[in-house]
Amino acid sequence: MTPSLLRAAGELLYGPRWQAELAREIGRARSLVARMATGENAVTADTWALVLAALKKRRVDISAFLKSNGG
């Protein structure tokens, strides 16, 4: 995963102030997420797997909300 892909996923999940929220969601330090977002640290495969899991959970949550609210 590239830093730009991490940023895109983070912003999609949490908006412009995504780093702290994503860090909390995936159990990583915010400073590490920030370094991954700039490319200073590599985005590891296990981190990417956690980000994907967060995206999939959000998709399920949105789908359930829409189904129960006429969407």
Side-chain angles (χ1 to χ4, degrees):
M1 178 211 288
T2 64
S4 61
L5 198 53
L6 176 65
R7 283 191 304 274
E11 288 177 1
L12 184 63
L13 285 164
Y14 302 108
R17 296 178 164 240
W18 60 272
Q19 291 181 1
E21 290 299 317
L22 182 64
R24 184 181 53 76
E25 175 80 24
I26 66 172
R28 301 288 191 264
R30 192 210 55 78
S31 58
L32 176 59
V33 171
R35 289 192 307 272
M36 285 189 250
T38 65
E40 185 179 339
N41 282 57
V43 181
T44 60
D46 62 320
T47 296
W48 179 235
L50 293 168
V51 172
L52 284 176
L55 287 164
K56 289 174 184 175
K57 180 183 182 304
R58 178 65 56 92
R59 179 183 64 198
V60 168
D61 291 346
I62 290 170
S63 180
F65 176 85
L66 290 171
K67 285 180 184 177
S68 66
N69 292 288

